[in-house]
Amino acid sequence: MGIFSNKISKEVLKPGDHIYSWRNAYLYSHHGIYAGEGKVIHFTRGPGQEIGTGTFLDNIVFSSSASSDRTKSPCPVCGDQSNLSGVISSCLDCFLWDGELYLFEYKVTPAFFLAKARGGTCTLAPSDPPEDVLSRASFLLENGFGGYNIFRNNCEHFAIYCKTGLLVVTDISVGRSGQATAFVAAVSAIVSSPLRFLTTSCSGLAAVGCGMYCVSRLVADIGVRRDVMKVAVERLVSRCDLVQSAETGTAKLELVNSCDVDLPAETETATLRLVSSCGLDLPGESAAAKQD
């Protein structure tokens, strides 16, 4: 491995490694956690499901599971995974999908990070011990990782969380995916940098754009940014469940518990008061009920 490539052979893989493989002519990469014995735990979406970006990416980013290719026979090891989505376990060959194997690097230096111009290959954040990584991955395999979204909750997010336990706690930026931040950084460098007006030469424009791209990638890395915190996997799953329940208006008690408030189980009015004190909106509740 090095600056030019993170490619490795299968023989050197260790349980708990964060691995990835490029898809669609290097358009994007699919990430997962190697669980040992030829198995990979990864986060994907089922075929035909939109990612929800509202852009052309909904049409070109297909399911990351090799079994979604219906022209191939089901894998003799994994079976037919074509209709599966969420956190799944696949054999290494299915995960790679005829691609090459790469190892995601942790605790790299800022200089090394900037030298890897393509995002989604390394991070400045340190990795937790392999046993912690495998414990998170196995727990999420059983309990899920929420809904797939290419910018805020994708396969790279899943793998990085398993390796570090870190989550971005603000909603004002893209998540902790190197691929997503690199894309946003590139767009910002091209169309939104006020510094581009300081020079009219091609070389100057290139230097300004490159500088903006590098700085944007660096400050967005999960090992540098300050809007991250360590979140236990059990709490993460509970939060995902609460978000889904809140959307349907069926989890008043869970929402209260998520705010670490002791629930006095007298009346629903008391419940609503507690929810209000936590600053949470409950869909479907009347204004009168909330005021009570």
Side-chain angles (χ1 to χ4, degrees):
M1 291 194 308
I3 292 178
F4 297 105
S5 177
N6 287 11
K7 186 184 298 185
I8 60 170
S9 64
K10 298 178 182 179
E11 290 73 22
V12 302
L13 274 179
K14 301 182 296 295
D17 280 348
H18 174 173
I19 59 177
Y20 63 95
S21 180
W22 292 102
R23 298 282 199 267
N24 290 4
Y26 293 90
L27 179 63
Y28 73 104
S29 58
H30 184 54
H31 296 245
I33 299 296
Y34 182 65
E37 300 182 350
K39 291 290 187 178
V40 182
I41 300 175
H42 54 119
F43 184 46
T44 184
R45 66 186 185 94
Q49 297 178 13
E50 287 189 353
I51 329 171
T53 65
T55 69
F56 69 97
L57 293 173
D58 288 338
N59 296 320
I60 64 175
V61 180
F62 303 100
S63 173
S64 300
S65 171
S67 295
S68 64
D69 186 353
R70 298 183 181 275
T71 64
K72 295 183 178 181
S73 300
C75 172
V77 177
C78 304
D80 183 8
Q81 294 185 325
S82 60
N83 293 317
L84 298 182
S85 61
V87 183
I88 65 175
S89 175
S90 304
C91 69
L92 185 57
D93 289 336
C94 282
F95 172 82
L96 293 176
W97 202 356
D98 297 329
E100 302 288 347
L101 175 64
Y102 297 84
L103 180 68
F104 194 97
E105 296 187 75
Y106 285 81
K107 204 176 181 179
V108 301
T109 64
F112 185 92
F113 180 86
L114 292 176
K116 304 284 284 189
R118 186 69 182 264
T121 60
C122 60
T123 177
L124 279 71
S127 170
D128 287 337
E131 53 270 22
D132 293 342
V133 177
L134 293 172
S135 176
R136 292 189 189 109
S138 298
F139 190 90
L140 294 175
L141 178 61
E142 297 295 328
N143 297 276
F145 191 64
Y148 191 101
N149 182 282
I150 191 171
F151 287 117
R152 294 189 177 276
N153 203 48
N154 60 37
C155 58
E156 187 183 346
H157 293 141
F158 167 80
I160 290 178
Y161 173 74
C162 290
K163 290 287 285 186
T164 66
L166 297 175
L167 283 180
V168 176
V169 296
T170 60
D171 293 328
I172 60 174
S173 62
V174 176
R176 54 215 174 277
S177 165
Q179 296 183 88
T181 53
F183 173 78
V184 174
V187 172
S188 299
I190 295 172
V191 302
S192 64
S193 172
L195 297 179
R196 70 184 185 276
F197 297 111
L198 298 181
T199 180
T200 57
S201 67
C202 293
S203 59
L205 288 172
V208 169
C210 181
M212 289 296 297
Y213 174 76
C214 291
V215 170
S216 298
R217 280 188 58 229
L218 183 62
V219 299
D221 182 70
I222 197 168
V224 174
R225 56 196 299 171
R226 297 185 178 182
D227 59 341
V228 299
M229 65 179 296
K230 202 94 166 180
V231 178
V233 67
E234 295 84 3
R235 186 175 178 186
L236 169 67
V237 171
S238 297
R239 189 177 74 171
C240 291
D241 291 341
L242 291 170
V243 170
Q244 294 175 355
S245 298
E247 290 175 353
T248 59
T250 60
K252 299 183 181 67
L253 298 181
E254 289 86 351
L255 285 169
V256 172
N257 290 334
S258 71
C259 298
D260 294 326
V261 179
D262 293 330
L263 179 63
E266 282 90 357
T267 63
E268 184 175 359
T269 301
T271 302
L272 293 174
R273 286 191 185 125
L274 285 171
V275 172
S276 177
S277 69
C278 296
L280 296 171
D281 293 326
L282 291 178
E285 297 292 343
S286 65
K290 290 184 181 180
Q291 290 175 355
D292 290 340

